[in-house]
Amino acid sequence: PVENELETEAPAELASENPMEPETEAPAATDPTTEEGEEGETGGEMVSDKTYVGFVSMDGGCMVVWDEDPRLGMDVYLGECDKYNHDWSYDEDTGLIHTALDDSMCLQVGFPDAEIIQGVPLRVSFCEKDMRTQVFDYNEDYNGNTIQLRSGVGAELCVGHQGNTPDIGDDALILKPCDLPGVVWSEG
């Protein structure tokens, strides 16, 4: 068992029996080559000509969508780096981080309208460049690379795995203080 200093819970009305499996299913994207800025039938922002890379934790493991068929609200966790579901594309201009599994789905902090605090889990949702909880900075500094919300409440926190030691395949990705273990990433 991993010691976990940061505990979180989804709002009761959004929680499912299995926290790794949300109840809402996302419709499939129609055409991942839609011109930049156009909206696909799913409502997510679609961007063409992307390069997808894995975000690799310096503690081991990759940023992974729980399943290879992403659905709205599905958790993002620290998983093995050997599957297609660990590839992402970061758009520096918009700050969106798209999953290669469905280009209309992006990394999001928590649920819409939820309080953004330490310990809030990351999920996938339809890409919306105007939704603050989906707009990230990928910062390069002397410690390595960190992923943080671009602005507002929570921008001082970093994306990292639960606890201080990684449990690959089990740890949810959450917002946590940038000076704790598990918040440094590289592209791989």
Side-chain angles (χ1 to χ4, degrees), residues 28-46:
T30 55
D31 180 9
T33 60
T34 303
E35 292 300 314
E36 185 170 343
E38 288 185 22
E39 290 193 13
E41 286 182 26
T42 60
E45 296 288 329
M46 306 290 278

Side-chain angles (χ1 to χ4, degrees), residues 70-120:
R71 292 181 300 280
L72 182 64
M74 185 170 277
D75 288 339
V76 177
Y77 73 105
L78 187 67
E80 297 293 335
C81 298
D82 61 352
K83 292 186 174 180
Y84 181 64
N85 60 344
H86 81 276
D87 287 339
W88 300 84
S89 178
Y90 174 66
D91 182 324
E92 190 173 345
D93 293 332
T94 66
L96 295 176
I97 300 176
H98 297 258
T99 174
L101 297 172
D102 181 342
D103 195 55
S104 71
M105 303 285 290
C106 287
L107 189 65
Q108 177 175 302
V109 175
F111 291 102
D113 301 323
E115 188 176 11
I116 304 303
I117 58 173
Q118 177 178 318
V120 172

Side-chain angles (χ1 to χ4, degrees), residues 9-76:
E9 289 186 27
E13 67 274 10
L14 297 174
S16 64
E17 288 184 35
N18 179 352
M20 295 297 192
E21 182 121 358
E23 297 176 13
T24 308
E25 226 175 280
T30 55
D31 180 9
T33 60
T34 303
E35 292 300 314
E36 185 170 343
E38 288 185 22
E39 290 193 13
E41 286 182 26
T42 60
E45 296 288 329
M46 306 290 278
V47 180
S48 60
D49 300 325
K50 284 205 187 81
T51 300
Y52 289 92
V53 297
F55 285 115
V56 182
S57 170
M58 297 307 282
D59 290 341
C62 284
M63 180 185 296
V64 173
V65 177
W66 184 251
D67 192 0
E68 290 189 19
D69 180 24
R71 292 181 300 280
L72 182 64
M74 185 170 277
D75 288 339
V76 177

Side-chain angles (χ1 to χ4, degrees), residues 96-177:
L96 295 176
I97 300 176
H98 297 258
T99 174
L101 297 172
D102 181 342
D103 195 55
S104 71
M105 303 285 290
C106 287
L107 189 65
Q108 177 175 302
V109 175
F111 291 102
D113 301 323
E115 188 176 11
I116 304 303
I117 58 173
Q118 177 178 318
V120 172
L122 278 82
R123 307 186 184 287
V124 291
S125 187
F126 295 117
C127 301
E128 295 182 39
K129 64 184 174 193
D130 296 325
M131 183 174 284
R132 188 184 74 73
T133 56
Q134 290 185 12
V135 180
F136 295 90
D137 279 328
Y138 185 63
N139 302 308
E140 298 179 32
D141 62 29
Y142 65 94
N143 290 325
N145 303 318
T146 58
I147 301 170
Q148 296 172 264
L149 284 173
R150 188 166 279 176
S151 65
V153 175
E156 74 284 357
L157 299 171
C158 288
V159 172
H161 61 74
Q162 276 181 306
N164 291 324
T165 25
D167 187 359
I168 297 172
D170 197 38
D171 279 349
L173 293 186
I174 60 172
L175 286 183
K176 62 194 269 187

